[in-house]
Amino acid sequence: MNLTNNFNFFEPAIFELRLYVAGGTSESASALRNLKEICEINLKGRYRIEVIDLLLNPQLAKGDQIIAIPTLIKKIPLPLKKIIGDLSDTDKVLVGLNIKQVKKNES
Amino acid sequence: MAELLENKIVKHPKLLKSPIGIEGLDDITEGGIPKGRTTLISGGSGTGKTLLGISYLVNGVDKFNETGVFMSFAECENELQENVASMNIDLKKYSDEKKINVEYIKLDRNEFEEIGKYNLDGIFIRLGFAIDSIKATRVVLDTIESLFDGLNDISLIRSELKRLFQWLKDKNVSAIISAEKGEGIISRFGIEEYVADCVIFLDHRIVEQISTRRIRIVKYRGTTHGTNEYPFLIDSTGISVLPITSLELNHHATTERISSGIPDLDKMFMNKGFGKTSNVMVSGSTGTGKTSFAAAFAIETCKRGEKCLFLSFEESPEQLIQNMKSIGINFSPWIDKKLLFLISTRPTFFGLEMHLLNLYKSIELIRPSTVVIDPVTSLLSQGSGLEIQSMLTRMSDLFRSKGITSFFASLLSEKNEVDSGEIISSIMDTWIVLRNSELKNHKRVRNLYIRKSRGSSHYSNVVSFTFSNNGISIKPINEIENKKVMNLSKIQFVNESNKDLH
């Protein structure tokens, strides 16, 4: 497989998002709900969400330096972004994930 | 009231302790920090909080077979390893052997954004995992207050810290939490409110260019603890605190005698010399020969095959060796044989407490049977009257408890013999006064007399003494003046113990 084939500057990048939660707390649940909504509206078809439950996999917390729950990490596209909280402020999340800027550039 | 009291006694039979493994510190805390509870260690930056935390864990592994978790909010694992390497602690070895888990919590405001509600479960989960994976019983959180710098929601941090301390208790681990000292308060963010069981305060202060580290137990629920400030040292062996057990009055008196190293002087003490484990002081103004008496005593110790620790506050070892050669005393062979240990320190180098602590460490290391301090008076210029008294008492107690015979040279002119002498002499068993006197024919003679000798008979008149290549020889004073030959062995003895009965 040629890696360069997957990398196209002219096509909008796929957002790889990772959401760290701890069991079914209300913050975790609303973070996931808020994230899905934001992505459906703003990134339809070009996002991937991976949910990691640290109660099941506590050893994964160290690698991404998780302190707070919930934590959202955007690994791709760069730059890496980390947001803690239940993502209840959509505008802030869009700015935080550099989505708003992306939209501005496109228009 | 009585019921309440009874309840208390029944409910808290005895507080279990988790020993820190630093002898002096475990003395002060009567066995260590409270087991299964949280202890706060507070202090300014560079006071040794991190090192104390690491020592607690390392000693836990080495001495008590307990594993531990070090959660660092300030330094990453590599930095920590490097920092404690100078104390001869190989932290990596402990992590590799899964004895100590180091968990670094990176807090950088610039790296994340806060949007909406969150909690600090991430820390709980990581700490829990670190504890469970090696079944740790000791936990150190260094310095958890960094959370306040890294996150915006102060009230959330407070409630989460409260939850964390309760969680640690439920986990039944003994925890140390370090915090930065605040302005006029114990910790910058007042977290001592949540840690109610034990609070230890570290201090590093510089008074008149002398730096002293001190440790104090501010609070220890359910335990009587030392409330004083205790000095401590940080050096290549880590932290050491002067143990207080050595200051108890549990030493037993002995009737054994040891030679002063000067046969004529021994004769003045009924042919027997000084009492073993007693404190001997030789005082005199400058140039009266105090150091020579000290040297004779030191050499005598070595000749018996015992060790002598000679602390000089005026001369370097080289100077001392050179000067003593002139009166026929050669230190070098005894130094080579590792029986004589010359240590020179500037009195102004440390505070009194630190001198005492250093002395304690040297004694622990060398285990001498005699100690010479030359002169003790230069040490005493360091403190006030009360401090000096306490220092001397503790010093003499330290010697006694280790079975050490101590010899203090003391720079006292006849003028200040009374005031300064009083402070020092009260703890001394034997006091010999040296003097230079001028005769009518402009000749100068060296005189001495025994001013005090607790519990032993002695010759109490003034005698004269001379230095030669053969050392120090003493003659009764009448011999010079009347040109009559007198025999020292026929001198009259006074029994001090009888004289003191008033």
Side-chain angles (χ1 to χ4, degrees):
Chain A
M1 191 175 84
N2 194 345
L3 276 170
T4 51
N5 285 347
N6 294 340
F7 208 85
N8 191 334
F9 285 100
F10 300 101
E11 260 175 42
I14 299 283
F15 276 66
E16 287 192 9
L17 304 167
R18 190 181 278 179
L19 184 68
Y20 284 92
V21 298
T25 63
S26 65
E27 282 108 343
S28 297
S30 55
L32 185 57
R33 202 175 48 241
N34 290 334
L35 182 63
K36 274 183 176 164
E37 201 180 299
I38 292 166
C39 289
E40 269 308 298
I41 294 170
N42 298 283
L43 297 169
K44 197 166 172 62
R46 52 189 185 97
Y47 71 92
R48 220 174 283 142
I49 297 173
E50 183 188 6
V51 179
I52 295 175
D53 186 348
L54 289 179
L55 288 189
L56 303 175
N57 296 298
Q59 74 283 1
L60 295 178
K62 193 171 185 170
D64 273 328
Q65 273 294 348
I66 304 305
I67 299 157
I69 295 292
T71 295
L72 173 65
I73 292 180
K74 181 197 72 164
K75 296 218 147 180
I76 293 172
L78 291 170
L80 186 123
K81 284 278 177 176
K82 214 181 224 180
I83 298 172
I84 61 174
D86 61 6
L87 312 174
S88 51
D89 187 327
T90 307
D91 280 345
K92 273 192 181 172
V93 176
L94 288 173
V95 174
L97 293 177
N98 304 112
I99 294 172
K100 255 197 171 163
Q101 264 181 313
V102 172
K103 281 183 91 182
K104 238 182 222 169
N105 291 347
E106 278 175 353
S107 59
Chain B
M1 183 77 192
E3 210 175 72
L4 236 158
L5 221 93
E6 219 165 75
N7 267 343
K8 254 191 175 169
I9 293 163
V10 175
K11 273 188 180 170
H12 308 282
K14 200 171 185 224
L15 199 58
L16 291 170
K17 302 289 175 82
S18 174
I20 300 160
I22 298 169
E23 198 189 341
L25 198 49
D26 285 334
D27 286 344
I28 300 169
T29 53
E30 292 193 348
I33 61 169
K35 196 183 173 85
R37 290 164 191 240
T38 303
T39 296
L40 177 72
I41 293 180
S42 168
S45 63
T47 46
K49 301 185 292 290
T50 304
L51 182 60
L52 184 55
I54 296 259
S55 307
Y56 174 62
L57 298 184
V58 168
N59 289 338
V61 175
D62 291 348
K63 299 182 180 173
F64 310 107
N65 201 22
E66 286 183 46
T67 48
V69 171
F70 192 91
M71 186 169 249
S72 170
F73 293 81
E75 295 161 301
C76 72
E77 203 165 341
N78 287 339
E79 284 173 315
L80 270 176
Q81 284 171 4
E82 282 169 26
N83 292 350
V84 295
S86 59
M87 281 35 148
N88 294 318
I89 298 172
D90 186 357
L91 200 57
K92 193 172 183 304
K93 190 194 85 186
Y94 290 98
S95 340
D96 291 348
E97 290 172 357
K98 300 213 179 305
K99 299 288 188 190
I100 295 175
N101 260 342
V102 178
E103 188 80 15
Y104 169 51
I105 301 278
K106 194 177 173 191
L107 276 166
D108 186 348
R109 234 178 228 277
N110 302 320
E111 277 195 5
F112 52 82
E113 250 177 280
E114 298 174 35
I115 302 172
K117 278 192 277 179
Y118 60 90
N119 62 29
L120 298 182
D121 267 347
I123 291 175
F124 285 76
I125 287 165
R126 288 169 70 177
L127 190 54
F129 183 66
I131 292 171
D132 295 341
S133 62
I134 58 166
K135 294 191 170 58
T137 47
R138 295 176 173 223
V139 172
V140 175
L141 302 170
D142 180 54
T143 44
I144 198 155
E145 278 185 324
S146 309
L147 283 174
F148 289 98
D149 297 324
L151 299 167
N152 289 324
D153 195 341
I154 302 290
S155 66
L156 172 104
I157 300 169
R158 288 194 180 279
S159 69
E160 286 294 87
L161 280 182
K162 232 182 260 182
R163 186 162 71 99
L164 180 66
F165 298 154
Q166 186 57 48
W167 179 85
L168 286 167
K169 218 174 210 171
D170 295 343
K171 268 217 156 296
N172 201 24
V173 291
S174 311
I176 288 182
I177 285 166
S178 68
E180 199 80 13
K181 180 187 79 171
E183 208 52 55
I185 44 170
I186 291 169
S187 69
R188 209 150 50 100
F189 293 91
I191 59 169
E192 63 272 16
E193 279 175 50
Y194 318 131
V195 191
D197 293 315
C198 180
V199 178
I200 296 173
F201 190 73
L202 303 183
D203 183 29
H204 185 196
R205 72 180 92 134
I206 294 167
V207 181
E208 285 170 8
Q209 288 137 30
I210 293 164
S211 110
T212 323
R213 296 177 186 277
R214 282 164 198 271
I215 191 163
R216 179 163 63 97
I217 315 295
V218 179
K219 171 179 182 179
Y220 200 142
R221 188 173 278 178
T223 296
T224 52
H225 56 86
T227 50
N228 293 340
E229 287 188 311
Y230 300 90
F232 70 98
L233 264 184
I234 295 179
D235 60 15
S236 56
T237 59
I239 293 178
S240 33
V241 182
L242 185 69
I244 39 179
T245 39
S246 63
L247 308 176
E248 284 167 8
L249 287 165
N250 55 2
H251 27 253
H252 27 89
T254 165
T255 50
E256 266 180 81
R257 315 285 288 185
I258 60 168
S259 167
S260 66
I262 303 162
D264 287 347
L265 189 60
D266 288 347
K267 283 179 193 162
M268 291 176 73
F269 290 96
M270 300 207 50
N271 258 328
K272 288 171 182 165
F274 304 140
K276 202 175 174 180
T277 75
S278 71
N279 304 317
V280 179
M281 175 166 82
V282 170
S283 78
S285 59
T286 181
T288 45
K290 299 180 296 295
T291 304
S292 309
F293 278 77
F297 176 72
I299 293 290
E300 185 64 26
T301 307
C302 300
K303 282 184 182 162
R304 287 195 303 270
E306 295 167 10
K307 287 178 181 172
C308 174
L309 172 64
F310 196 116
L311 293 175
S312 173
F313 291 107
E314 278 183 348
E315 296 168 294
S316 71
E318 293 74 26
Q319 272 177 311
L320 195 61
I321 292 167
Q322 198 56 42
N323 293 345
M324 285 306 112
K325 267 186 188 154
S326 66
I327 57 158
I329 291 174
N330 193 358
F331 276 158
S332 307
W334 304 110
I335 294 172
D336 295 342
K337 282 185 183 159
K338 297 218 180 312
L339 288 174
L340 182 61
F341 297 83
L342 293 186
I343 298 177
S344 291
T345 320
R346 290 223 173 278
T348 50
F349 222 67
F350 316 108
L352 279 182
E353 294 283 0
M354 205 48 77
H355 277 297
L356 189 60
L357 187 49
N358 273 320
L359 180 65
Y360 172 78
K361 287 199 77 179
S362 308
I363 287 174
E364 283 291 286
L365 199 70
I366 298 167
R367 302 203 169 272
S369 74
T370 66
V371 172
V372 174
I373 295 181
D374 179 35
V376 69
T377 31
S378 61
L379 206 56
L380 305 185
S381 60
Q382 295 295 306
S384 65
L386 201 68
E387 262 184 284
I388 293 167
Q389 186 107 49
S390 129
M391 150 97 170
L392 283 171
T393 313
R394 289 164 68 192
M395 200 188 255
S396 103
D397 284 346
L398 169 66
F399 292 147
R400 259 180 250 249
S401 68
K402 303 273 172 196
I404 291 168
T405 314
S406 53
F407 188 103
F408 298 82
S410 166
L411 181 66
L412 291 177
S413 61
E414 276 164 62
K415 271 182 197 158
N416 65 17
E417 214 170 75
V418 182
D419 19 307
S420 307
E422 288 302 295
I423 301 179
I424 313 176
S425 72
S426 63
I427 66 145
M428 298 297 166
D429 300 305
T430 303
W431 183 4
I432 300 164
V433 178
L434 308 184
R435 266 184 203 161
N436 281 337
S437 326
E438 213 167 296
L439 298 178
K440 279 173 191 159
N441 55 9
H442 301 296
K443 275 186 180 165
R444 283 164 63 87
V445 288
R446 296 174 185 276
N447 291 335
L448 72 82
Y449 68 97
I450 300 167
R451 178 142 169 187
K452 167 185 185 180
S453 182
R454 247 178 224 157
S456 89
S457 308
H458 61 277
Y459 180 68
S460 65
N461 288 345
V462 177
V463 295
S464 77
F465 67 96
T466 51
F467 290 115
S468 70
N469 277 337
N470 302 321
I472 300 163
S473 45
I474 298 171
K475 288 189 178 75
I477 206 130
N478 304 347
E479 192 183 332
I480 300 167
E481 282 174 2
N482 305 340
K483 307 263 179 216
K484 277 184 196 162
V485 182
M486 272 188 67
N487 192 345
L488 252 179
S489 58
K490 284 183 183 163
I491 52 185
Q492 192 191 339
F493 290 105
V494 189
N495 198 318
E496 179 93 1
S497 45
N498 288 341
K499 215 174 73 182
D500 270 351
L501 286 172
H502 48 65

